[in-house]
Amino acid sequence: MSDCLFCKIISGDIPSDKVYEDELCYAFKDIAPMAPVHILVIPKLHLTSVAEVNADNCSVVGHIFSVIPKIAKEQGIEEYRVVSNCGETAGQSVFHLHFHVLGGKTLGQFN
Ligand code: AMP
């Protein structure tokens, strides 16, 4: 999608600190980390959020969850939180599906 920040990161039009890439997904360091390790994992397919995941495209989500443990291990964390904000009131600010992987410290509870 031409005006999507994360699509531009995938294409290389906007620079990012890449930590992993394959044919289906791309992972990079969050520009404003909330923890010592804060990685964003995104599908190359543009989906706005979890709300657009369905039976036809959900395999990419399974794929992302299969690579998250590898990324976490490479980043040196054994315990971590995976979060996806869905919608503005839930805290979503970039409308391209992404999974935050947070770790490297004791994480507080959230509401
Ligand atoms: P969310 O608020 O859940 O939509 O998450 C979007 C995340 O993208 C935030 O944690 C931002 O810090 C992060 N972000 C925004 N722009 C960039 C960028 N150019 N490179 C890396 N991370 C970014």
Side-chain angles (χ1 to χ4, degrees), residues 20-27 41-44 60 63-64 67:
Y20 179 85
E21 181 177 13
D22 63 28
E23 68 284 6
L24 294 176
C25 69
Y26 189 93
V41 190
I42 66 179
K44 290 189 171 175
V60 73
H63 177 74
I64 284 173
V67 304

Side-chain angles (χ1 to χ4, degrees), residues 25-38:
C25 69
Y26 189 93
F28 55 106
K29 294 185 179 175
D30 196 292
I31 204 167
M34 304 291 285
V37 176
H38 186 170

Side-chain angles (χ1 to χ4, degrees), residues 85-92 95:
N85 297 321
C86 179
E88 225 170 311
T89 60
Q92 186 175 9
F95 290 86

Side-chain angles (χ1 to χ4, degrees), residues 5-6 9 14 28-32 38 40 85 91-94 98 100:
L5 171 67
F6 286 176
I9 283 178
I14 290 177
F28 55 106
K29 294 185 179 175
D30 196 292
I31 204 167
H38 186 170
L40 300 173
N85 297 321
Q92 186 175 9
S93 61
V94 179
H98 53 280
H100 298 258

Side-chain angles (χ1 to χ4, degrees), residues 74-86:
E74 279 170 19
Q75 294 296 314
I77 52 172
E78 286 180 9
E79 300 184 333
Y80 46 90
R81 179 177 291 160
V82 181
V83 178
S84 188
N85 297 321
C86 179

